C-alpha cells in the first residue's frame, strides 16, 4: 500500500478550504471576496434544487464587488445580534482537471453559536467548486454551496 | 519539525474514507458494496457492546451479496420518507500493518436531514477497519462501525 | 496546480491533533498529560474573553502534574455518570515558526454522548497552540482552547 499521484493538488485544495472556513469563523468577512476570482460565481442552493435541475440559487453573486456588497450589508444588519459560526470541512474530492482548473467537491458542516451561547447545526452540504491558480494563489472561479436541507430562511444571513 | 514516514498510507486511507462517505451522502448506495472485498465483514455495533466483549453487532454482513441485499431492502423501504445523510470523518489512525493489510481507526459524525429540512446528530463513533489493496484499489476487508451511543432503533436504516 | 512547501509540518500537526482527540474519545485520559511539555500551558477560555483581552481562562494548568491531578479528579467525580465524547478536528493552520516551535490553530467540534444515548453538541472552537518537537515527538508547549460559546457550566468537566 504505497503509491500516490505524482502531483497531488489535494493538499492545496484542503488548505484553501480550511483557510476559507477560518476567515468566516474568525469574522474576517472582509477577506472573503479575495478567495474568489473576479468575475466569479458564488451561489447557495439546495440538494433538492440541484436534483430538479434548477440552476438558480437563493444567493447569487458573479463578481467580487457583489461579494463585498454582501459583506457590507451583513455588517450593517448584524449590529444587534452577534452570531458566530464554526465550519468543519471534509477532504476535497477531485472530480477533474482541465485547462489549469480543478473541479472538486468538499463536504461541510456549519454550527451556529448565538448570543446566549446556544449552539445548533446550521447547515450541512457540499461545496461544488472550480478552482484556479492565480499567480500561486488558489481561488474559486466557481463555488456553489449545495445545502442538504432546503430550509433557507436564515441561510441568507452569512457566507457559507 | 520535519520528518514523516517514507511510505505513508495515511493519505490513501483518508481518500478511501472520504470516497466511502461521499458515496453514501450522494445516495449512490449501489456503489457501496464495491468498497468491500468479497468475502468481507461489515458490522454496526456500539462502544458499550465492544467494552463488554460482545462480538455480535446489530447489523452484520459477510459478503458483497449481503451488502447488495441490504441496499435493495433500503430502496424498497425508503419510498415514503426521503432522508439524507452527511458524514464528516476525521483523520485515520494507523494501528498496524501485516501481510499487506492495514488496521486503522477513523472517527466519524453523521448528520441526518429529514424531509422537512430538520437536521439532527444521527451518529458518532469510529470505524475499526482492516484495509487491503486489490490491484491498486483499497477496499475494506473488515469495517466495524462502533457507535458511541447505544441507541440503535433507527440505526438499522442506512449504511454508516 | 502543483507546488507545496518543501518541508511541510502540516501532516505531523494533523496527526498530533488526531491522536490527542483519540486519546480523549477512547477515555485514555491518563495518556493526556504526555501530549504536553513540562512545564506547559493548558487553558480553556472563550472567544468573548479573548476578544476582551482577558488572559485568564476557566481552566488553567501549567505542568503535567496539574494535568494529572485534573484527570484524577475526573476519575473520582465521574463514578456516577458515564459520558463519552467525540472530537472532530479540522486542518491545522500554521501561523508561524520560530526557534523550532510552531504556532498553529485548529478548529474543533465536540459531541457529548450521555448515558442514555442522547447526543448533543458540546463545544466548538479552535485550539491555539505552540508545538515543539521533543526528540521526535510533537508536544504542546501551549494549548489554549478557545470555545466559540461562553457557556461554561459543564465545560469544567473534561479535557477538551
Amino acid at each position: 500500500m504505497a503509491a500516490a499521484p505524482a502531483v497531488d493538488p489535494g493538499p492545496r485544495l484542503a488548505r484553501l478550504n480550511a483557510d476559507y472556513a477560518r476567515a468566516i469563523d474568525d469574522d474576517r468577512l472582509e477577506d472573503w471576496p479575495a478567495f474568489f476570482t473576479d468575475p466569479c460565481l458564488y451561489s447557495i442552493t439546495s440538494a433538492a434544487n440541484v436534483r430538479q435541475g434548477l440552476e438558480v440559487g437563493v444567493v447569487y453573486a458573479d463578481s467580487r464587488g457583489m461579494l463585498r456588497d454582501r459583506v457590507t450589508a451583513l455588517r450593517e444588519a448584524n449590529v444587534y445580534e452577534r452570531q458566530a459560526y464554526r465550519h468543519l470541512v471534509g477532504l476535497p474530492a477531485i472530480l477533474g482537471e482541465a485547462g489549469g482548473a480543478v473541479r472538486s467537491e468538499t463536504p461541510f458542516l456549519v454550527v451556529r453559536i448565538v448570543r446566549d451561547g446556544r449552539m445548533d447545526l446550521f447547515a450541512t452540504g457540499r461545496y461544488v467548486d472550480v478552482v484556479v491558480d492565480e499567480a500561486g494563489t488558489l481561488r474559486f472561479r466557481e463555488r456553489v454551496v449545495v445545502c442538504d436541507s432546503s430550509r433557507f430562511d436564515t441561510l441568507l444571513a452569512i457566507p457559507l
Side-chain angles (χ1 to χ4, degrees), chain A:
Chain A
M1 191 179 294
V7 176
D8 180 5
R12 290 188 73 200
L13 287 176
R15 183 72 266 147
L16 173 65
N17 274 282
D19 290 343
Y20 177 98
R22 191 163 163 261
I24 296 173
D25 294 350
D26 284 355
D27 197 29
R28 290 182 282 108
L29 299 184
E30 285 71 16
D31 295 346
W32 176 61
F35 284 97
F36 294 84
T37 61
D38 194 12
C40 62
L41 168 65
Y42 175 75
S43 171
I44 303 181
T45 187
S46 69
N49 276 358
V50 169
R51 269 195 304 273
Q52 293 164 28
L54 299 176
E55 293 264 333
V56 61
V58 175
V59 170
Y60 175 86
D62 62 11
S63 70
R64 280 196 193 163
M66 283 184 71
L67 297 172
R68 273 192 297 265
D69 287 350
R70 195 165 156 72
V71 171
T72 304
L74 279 167
R75 289 299 186 204
E76 286 166 4
N78 271 356
V79 171
Y80 296 106
E81 183 176 13
R82 184 174 174 81
Q83 300 185 344
Y85 301 87
R86 179 60 56 189
H87 288 67
L88 270 285
V89 294
L91 207 60
I94 295 168
L95 307 184
E97 294 195 55
V102 174
R103 288 189 309 114
S104 66
E105 274 193 18
T106 305
F108 69 85
L109 175 160
V110 180
V111 173
R112 179 172 56 176
I113 303 95
V114 292
R115 197 173 191 163
D116 69 355
R118 267 181 301 116
M119 290 173 283
D120 56 54
L121 277 172
F122 184 65
T124 64
R126 58 197 163 98
Y127 295 118
V128 181
D129 299 322
V130 176
V131 176
V132 294
D133 186 328
E134 290 192 330
T137 301
L138 295 192
R139 292 202 170 90
F140 298 109
R141 193 160 73 193
E142 296 183 21
R143 164 147 279 197
V144 177
V145 186
V146 182
C147 294
D148 294 321
S149 170
S150 298
R151 285 196 170 179
F152 268 108
D153 36 314
T154 48
L155 277 181
L156 296 166
I158 58 147
L160 280 176

